[in-house]
Amino acid sequence: RAMSAVADAPANANAGCVGPKNEQAGKASACAGCPNQKACASGAGKAEDPAVGVVADKLANIKHKILVLSGKGGVGKSTVACQLAFSLAARGNQVGLLDVDICGPSVPRMLGLMSREVHQSGSGWTPIQVDLPGAGDGECLVMSVGFMLPNPDDAVIWRGPRKNGLIKQFLTDVDWGSLDYLIVDTPPGTSDEHLSIIQYLRGSGIDGAVIVTTPQEVAMQDVRKEINFCKKTHVPVLGVVENMAGYHAPLGAGAFTFTDPATGKDVTEQTLATLRRKAPELLALNLSAQVFPRFGEGPKGMAKTFDVPYLGELPLDAELTAASEEGQFLSARSSTAPATAALSSIVDQIVASVASGGAEGMASR
């Protein structure tokens, strides 16, 4: 199905949609068979959701809003969102991180905020502040449904309308104050949560989306849908991050096991002892291994095909994994970890893109 060119067209609209506010809504030839035809014909689409204006007023003091998306689960989207928030705050910015992955909230764990609770004041819900040593004037505030569960292992079994209601509350009832950036971590896919966040932010503006993928086709086939979703809903794509792009670790870090091919016996200690004695300089080398098979030209080729920026690779890195498990900022944990420089480069590009007016500005650089 071709993409509609109308800005307010529903994401599941037919090609050639005239838009729900058009006088021909529900009556035009392009409306035949569209799942929204009945609602559009009734005139319901002409009425602006009052929540859009409320959200615009509530977020008026937030300069930039960035979505972190992926069509596939398990590709490290929340890791990217959390480290992006950490990085921006460490650069002296006032940052908010909104976790709308209602059924699988990972953000409290990844920011070291487990067991914290949200409090309510006269101005609304007070977001949780992240302890970020060395951030100077920077600050990171967080809101997640994970803070509201009596037990972190409780399942959130909600249908769409209830999810939609909570997202609206997160945008209208949370006292974010003045922020330089609001990062929104979303669940995988292109479903209710995505449509709701884009609908409610329409009045206040979305700078763009960072899309996360891994190199193999089983992930990219869903991420391509996500890019098309962004195009259809008119959300600029700030760029594609290729996560888990090979495993990188120093030879001497203890991450590798050496075995005798004849006996299968573990000879790691003997091998490392020999290297320390005869070639100690080799222990400082970073070793790389391709864990996931890169399909075709990989995420870089996919970004080129869709004419969106490619932000670079984040390797599988034991330090990055540990930082996420322990709620730490990677650069503060290890300035020499394989993923540290790559993460910094990705954040540099996102900041430059937003400052220059989004993906279009970046493309012209």
Side-chain angles (χ1 to χ4, degrees):
R1 175 182 288 176
M3 181 180 70
S4 170
V6 179
D8 60 351
N12 59 345
N14 284 354
C17 173
V18 296
K21 297 180 182 179
N22 190 286
E23 289 300 321
Q24 292 299 308
K27 306 170 188 174
S29 58
C31 300
C34 177
N36 307 290
Q37 183 177 15
K38 185 175 180 181
C40 289
S42 72
K46 294 183 175 66
E48 183 76 55
D49 186 338
V52 174
V54 174
V55 170
D57 290 341
K58 190 73 176 181
L59 305 186
N61 292 321
I62 299 178
K63 295 177 183 176
H64 303 295
K65 302 160 198 78
I66 300 172
L67 308 182
V68 181
L69 305 172
S70 180
K72 193 70 173 176
V75 298
K77 178 176 43 55
S78 293
T79 297
V80 171
C82 290
Q83 291 298 322
L84 173 59
F86 269 141
S87 298
L88 292 171
R91 297 180 183 203
N93 294 293
Q94 304 298 305
V95 181
L97 177 57
L98 174 58
D99 180 9
V100 297
D101 191 346
I102 292 169
C103 294
S106 303
V107 165
R109 164 67 65 186
M110 291 185 167
L111 293 181
L113 300 174
M114 297 297 290
S115 77
R116 300 286 291 274
E117 296 180 0
V118 172
H119 299 284
Q120 200 159 13
S121 67
S123 55
W125 287 340
T126 302
I128 304 296
Q129 183 171 349
V130 180
D131 181 21
L132 190 61
D137 294 330
E139 183 178 57
C140 185
L141 305 174
V142 187
M143 179 57 70
S144 169
V145 71
F147 298 135
M148 303 175 181
L149 300 177
N151 184 329
D153 295 330
D154 285 347
V156 179
I157 308 172
W158 290 0
R159 292 188 185 276
R162 193 169 180 190
K163 291 180 183 179
N164 181 66
L166 182 61
I167 291 171
K168 185 191 294 186
Q169 276 192 286
F170 278 161
L171 294 172
T172 59
D173 294 355
V174 175
D175 183 17
W176 291 108
S178 297
L179 298 177
D180 296 300
Y181 296 92
L182 177 65
I183 311 300
V184 182
D185 183 29
T186 65
T190 54
S191 56
D192 289 331
E193 294 91 332
H194 309 81
L195 292 170
S196 294
I197 198 76
I198 290 170
Q199 174 192 350
Y200 292 135
L201 289 178
R202 192 181 300 280
S204 59
I206 300 172
D207 288 82
V210 175
I211 296 182
V212 184
T213 186
T214 48
Q216 73 275 39
E217 173 61 8
V218 72
M220 291 198 302
Q221 67 179 359
D222 290 334
V223 172
R224 287 192 288 270
K225 297 180 180 72
E226 195 77 41
I227 297 175
N228 276 322
F229 172 81
C230 288
K231 289 180 179 292
K232 194 161 192 176
T233 55
H234 303 274
V235 174
V237 176
L238 299 175
V240 173
V241 174
E242 180 179 353
N243 195 26
M244 307 185 200
Y247 180 71
H248 295 220
L251 176 58
F256 297 96
T257 299
F258 297 86
T259 57
D260 184 327
T263 64
K265 182 181 177 182
D266 186 338
V267 293
T268 302
E269 283 305 316
Q270 301 94 305
T271 303
L272 292 177
T274 301
L275 287 171
R276 291 189 196 101
R277 188 172 65 254
K278 296 189 175 182
E281 67 278 6
L282 295 181
L283 296 173
L285 294 177
N286 279 332
L287 297 188
S288 302
Q290 197 67 43
V291 178
F292 299 115
R294 182 174 276 116
F295 179 80
E297 296 182 355
K300 188 173 185 178
M302 176 183 68
K304 183 178 180 181
T305 298
F306 281 88
D307 194 28
V308 297
Y310 176 72
L311 299 177
E313 302 178 358
L314 270 181
L316 271 169
D317 178 357
E319 289 290 348
L320 177 55
T321 301
S324 297
E325 287 288 321
E326 297 170 22
Q328 297 175 336
F329 175 34
L330 175 63
S331 294
R333 178 186 175 92
S334 173
S335 61
T336 59
T340 299
L343 176 66
S344 181
S345 173
I346 288 168
V347 175
D348 286 344
Q349 293 176 76
I350 293 171
V351 170
S353 177
V354 169
S356 63
E360 293 80 4
M362 175 178 263
S364 66
R365 291 172 67 89

